[in-house]
């Protein structure tokens, strides 16, 4: 019986996963893996942390040693042998050293960092990407961390901001330059704004809405699109990546506009006997119900495992993903899952949202922390579509709960029924996920509106202050301690029933408290007393102060 020959191109993540799975399922298959560099299976996501010294040695980034694939999994490993051409008709792979036939081919070529057009960059030696182990080696060989005091990062995505944080931890002065108006372009503006505040409060010089147009190698100055000149010792470029798929797209393989190969749940491309996995492949977006591109290590491993199984004739499926991501940022964590506002609008999907500020531990437990959380759901069914969040504690727990809920097709009506773990060090009795479900249900009843602070600010500013009532239902001591929104009148919640005649029921009433609960209670009191134009500002003054930032500071009364 002829041995089946499987060729795998790419040795970073999906490729070794495919090789190991194929070997576990078929001891007799001939498995060849080609890698254009000298390294396999290293942790690209760990590079920012190696720059700061959190990861102590380079060896820690190397997850799998080549000998492990050779000896334990009997894989014929060809390092420093790039594949330069594929002939799908005759099932031949050409490398710089020879040619090899295959029965099944798995493309796991990943992606490459994009370099934007920057005049003078070819003459400028003090820059690098932060994507590959070769990038890291060049940085360390040049002694960048020893000789550079000011480092500029171009691009404010996940990798760019993780790199920025770690360079600050390494004692560097850091500037981040981002062409978009906000960092983290996939997140909603509210969360991007809070992220920017965190960056700036930790000493990062943040420049948004600008790009690097040119570099002057003689003076080591960057010329920005707004005319500013910025001296820097070194520059990291991390704006985006592009799938390495030209060898197949040139042969007619179906692909997304960015080049990511379109595959089915078996990771099969449109070309017979060729699979693709990792950053070079698309996967199904389970929320949008169309092919999407999610270049994450989690998907690379799953896709590689599926492709390896299929290549040896064993049935396996990878249903796809929906954009779950998380990032540590100094003392905070920011995370998302499913589709956010930008993606929902871009895909013309009707949705509603609920924004809350909720405690992540009970009020009686020391050092309380807030979670800023927004969930997105279908208006008619309440089915969850996505979530975004930021906080100092417990973010990872909540994003994984909501990610699981999205996969299971749960609704806002299901969230309060989840049996989530409770103990004071980890969660309040009403977990933020459960609170989000309650609040979303309340807004569905139509007794009042809920607007997040950006929506509320825009609407309030569009109306003559004399034509609305902006009602602050906090206690007076809270106002003097933290300030208030301009033009707001203060009637504490516990006094509201006795002073309700002070509010003109003919005018729209915008209510806020500290975080939202008392605003909800005040909304219900007004509703039951005949008020019809009621809006609760979701997240209250806490969210307003953190996101909008326009507050009126009050004088503290003399004691």
């Amino acid at each position: 019986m002829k041995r089946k020959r499987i060729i795998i191109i790419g040795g970073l993540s999906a490729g070794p996963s495919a090789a190991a799975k194929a070997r576990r399922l078929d001891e007799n298959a001939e498995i060849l893996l080609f890698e254009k560099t000298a390294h396999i299976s290293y942790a690209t996501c760990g590079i920012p942390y190696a720059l700061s010294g959190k990861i102590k040695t380079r060896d820690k980034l190397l997850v799998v040693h080549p000998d492990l694939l050779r000896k334990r999994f009997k894989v014929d490993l060809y390092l420093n042998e790039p594949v330069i051409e594929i002939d799908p008709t005759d099932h031949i792979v050409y490398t710089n050293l020879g040619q090899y036939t295959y029965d099944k081919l798995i493309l796991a070529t990943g992606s490459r960092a994009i370099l934007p057009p920057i005049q003078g960059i070819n003459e400028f030696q003090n820059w690098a990407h932060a994507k590959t182990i070769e990038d890291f080696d060049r940085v360390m060989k040049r002694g960048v961390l020893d000789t550079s005091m000011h480092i500029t990062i171009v691009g404010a995505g996940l990798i760019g901001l993780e790199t920025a944080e770690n360079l600050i931890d390494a004692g560097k002065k850091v500037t981040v330059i981002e062409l978009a108006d906000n960092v983290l372009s996939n997140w909603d503006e509210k969360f991007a704004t809070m992220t920017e505040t965190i960056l700036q409060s930790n000493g990062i010089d943040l420049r948004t809405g600008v790009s690097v147009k040119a570099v002057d190698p003689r003076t080591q100055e960057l010329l920005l699109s707004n005319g500013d000149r910025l001296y820097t010792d070194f520059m990291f470029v991390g704006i985006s990546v592009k799938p390495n798929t030209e060898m197949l797209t040139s042969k007619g393989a179906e692909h997304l506009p960015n080049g990511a190969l379109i595959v089915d749940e078996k990771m099969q491309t449109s070309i017979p006997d060729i699979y693709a996995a990792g950053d070079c492949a698309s996967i199904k977006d389970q929320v949008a119900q169309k092919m999407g591109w999610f270049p994450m290590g989690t998907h690379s491993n799953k896709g590689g495992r599926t492709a390896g199984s299929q290549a040896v004739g064993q049935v396996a499926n990878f249903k796809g993903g929906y954009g779950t991501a998380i990032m540590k940022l100094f003392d905070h964590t920011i995370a998302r899952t499913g589709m956010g506002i930008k993606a929902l609008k871009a895909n013309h999907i009707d949705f509603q949202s609920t924004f809350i500020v909720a405690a992540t531990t009970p009020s009686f437990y020391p050092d309380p922390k807030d979670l800023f959380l927004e969930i997105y759901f279908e208006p008619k069914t309440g089915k969850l579509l996505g979530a975004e969040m930021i906080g100092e504690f417990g973010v990872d727990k909540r994003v994984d709960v909501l990610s699981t809920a999205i996969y299971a097709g749960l609704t806002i009506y299901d969230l309060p029924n989840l049996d989530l773990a409770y103990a004071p060090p980890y969660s309040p009795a009403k977990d933020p996920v459960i609170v989000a479900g309650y609040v979303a249900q309340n807004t569905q009843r139509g007794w009042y509106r809920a607007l997040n602070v950006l929506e509320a600010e825009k609407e309030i500013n569009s109306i003559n202050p004399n034509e609305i009532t902006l009602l602050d239902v906090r206690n007076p001591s809270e106002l003097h301690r933290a300030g208030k929104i301009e033009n707001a009148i203060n009637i504490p919640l516990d006094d509201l029933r006795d002073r309700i005649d002070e509010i003109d029921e003919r005018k729209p009433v915008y209510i806020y408290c500290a975080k939202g609960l008392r605003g909800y209670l005040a909304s219900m009191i007004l509703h039951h007393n005949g008020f019809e134009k009621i809006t609760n500002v979701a997240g209250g003054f806490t969210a307003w102060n953190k996101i909008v930032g326009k507050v009126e500071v009050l004088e503290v009364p003399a004691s």
Side-chain angles (χ1 to χ4, degrees), residues 434-446:
I434 289 173
V435 172
Y438 283 139
V439 174
Q441 290 179 42
N442 290 336
T443 60
Q444 291 294 86
R445 295 190 175 101

Side-chain angles (χ1 to χ4, degrees), residues 139-155:
V139 169
M140 302 309 290
K141 184 177 180 180
R142 290 179 63 88
V144 171
L145 298 180
D146 296 325
T147 61
S148 299
M149 278 309 299
H150 181 274
I151 297 178
T152 299
I153 297 169
V154 181

Side-chain angles (χ1 to χ4, degrees), residues 117-119 152 154 177 210-215 222-225 235:
I118 300 175
Q119 185 179 347
T152 299
V154 181
I177 296 174
V210 295
S211 62
V212 178
K213 304 299 290 183
V215 295
L222 310 179
L223 177 62
L224 307 187
S225 57
M235 177 173 69

Side-chain angles (χ1 to χ4, degrees), residues 457-531:
E457 183 207 16
K458 183 177 180 181
E459 193 166 295
I460 290 168
N461 288 341
S462 69
I463 306 172
N464 187 315
N466 296 323
E467 296 177 356
I468 64 171
T469 299
L470 184 55
L471 178 61
D472 186 328
V473 296
R474 295 175 297 159
N475 296 324
S477 61
E478 296 175 81
L479 275 70
H480 291 292
R481 184 169 61 247
K484 71 181 186 70
I485 301 175
E486 188 177 5
N487 297 318
I489 64 170
N490 176 229
I491 303 177
L493 175 64
D494 294 339
D495 299 337
L496 184 57
R497 290 183 180 88
D498 296 330
R499 297 174 59 184
I500 204 165
D501 291 341
E502 297 177 26
I503 307 171
D504 189 343
E505 66 179 274
R506 295 169 298 178
K507 295 180 180 180
V509 183
Y510 293 79
I511 306 170
Y512 71 91
C513 59
K515 299 179 183 179
L517 175 58
R518 284 175 289 174
Y520 160 66
L521 297 175
S523 298
M524 297 307 298
I525 290 172
L526 294 186
H527 165 71
H528 290 304
N529 280 273
F531 286 75

Side-chain angles (χ1 to χ4, degrees), residues 265-508:
E265 290 188 357
K266 299 177 176 61
M267 308 309 291
Q268 169 75 54
T269 70
S270 60
I271 298 178
D273 298 324
I274 299 181
Y275 302 87
D279 288 7
C280 66
S282 64
I283 58 176
K284 188 173 183 179
D285 184 327
Q286 295 187 65
V287 176
Q289 290 298 303
K290 65 180 185 180
M291 299 308 292
W293 187 54
F294 305 103
M296 299 288 286
T298 51
H299 303 314
S300 292
N301 281 284
K302 293 175 187 176
R305 178 186 174 93
T306 301
S309 298
Q310 289 291 152
V312 295
Q314 298 294 322
V315 176
N317 295 298
F318 178 27
K319 294 183 178 180
Y322 37 94
T324 304
I326 191 168
M327 177 183 65
K328 175 187 175 298
L329 197 64
F330 298 101
D331 294 332
H332 286 72
T333 301
I334 181 168
R336 67 189 307 273
T337 185
M339 300 181 81
I341 289 177
K342 293 181 180 179
L344 289 164
K345 289 181 177 179
N347 285 276
H348 307 290
I349 297 175
D350 193 21
F351 72 95
Q352 284 183 245
S353 66
T354 289
F355 180 83
I356 65 168
V357 179
T360 53
T361 53
S363 59
F364 58 79
Y365 194 79
D367 196 23
K369 303 295 182 183
D370 287 328
L371 178 70
F372 296 77
L373 167 64
E374 188 160 23
I375 60 172
Y376 311 103
F377 53 92
E378 292 180 352
K380 292 183 179 179
T381 65
K383 182 180 178 181
L384 287 169
L385 299 171
E388 296 175 304
M389 64 200 74
I390 189 169
E392 295 180 66
F393 176 78
V395 175
D396 53 340
K397 168 182 175 175
R398 277 80 192 192
V399 73
D400 281 345
V401 168
L402 288 166
S403 174
T404 304
I406 290 172
Y407 181 83
L410 301 187
T411 71
I412 59 172
Y413 307 103
D414 293 311
L415 294 184
N417 293 316
L418 296 177
D419 187 5
L420 302 181
Y422 162 64
Y426 304 105
S427 171
K430 291 181 181 177
D431 188 89
V433 170
I434 289 173
V435 172
Y438 283 139
V439 174
Q441 290 179 42
N442 290 336
T443 60
Q444 291 294 86
R445 295 190 175 101
W447 293 335
Y448 67 93
R449 291 192 312 161
L451 293 180
N452 68 57
V453 291
L454 291 180
E455 295 169 331
E457 183 207 16
K458 183 177 180 181
E459 193 166 295
I460 290 168
N461 288 341
S462 69
I463 306 172
N464 187 315
N466 296 323
E467 296 177 356
I468 64 171
T469 299
L470 184 55
L471 178 61
D472 186 328
V473 296
R474 295 175 297 159
N475 296 324
S477 61
E478 296 175 81
L479 275 70
H480 291 292
R481 184 169 61 247
K484 71 181 186 70
I485 301 175
E486 188 177 5
N487 297 318
I489 64 170
N490 176 229
I491 303 177
L493 175 64
D494 294 339
D495 299 337
L496 184 57
R497 290 183 180 88
D498 296 330
R499 297 174 59 184
I500 204 165
D501 291 341
E502 297 177 26
I503 307 171
D504 189 343
E505 66 179 274
R506 295 169 298 178
K507 295 180 180 180

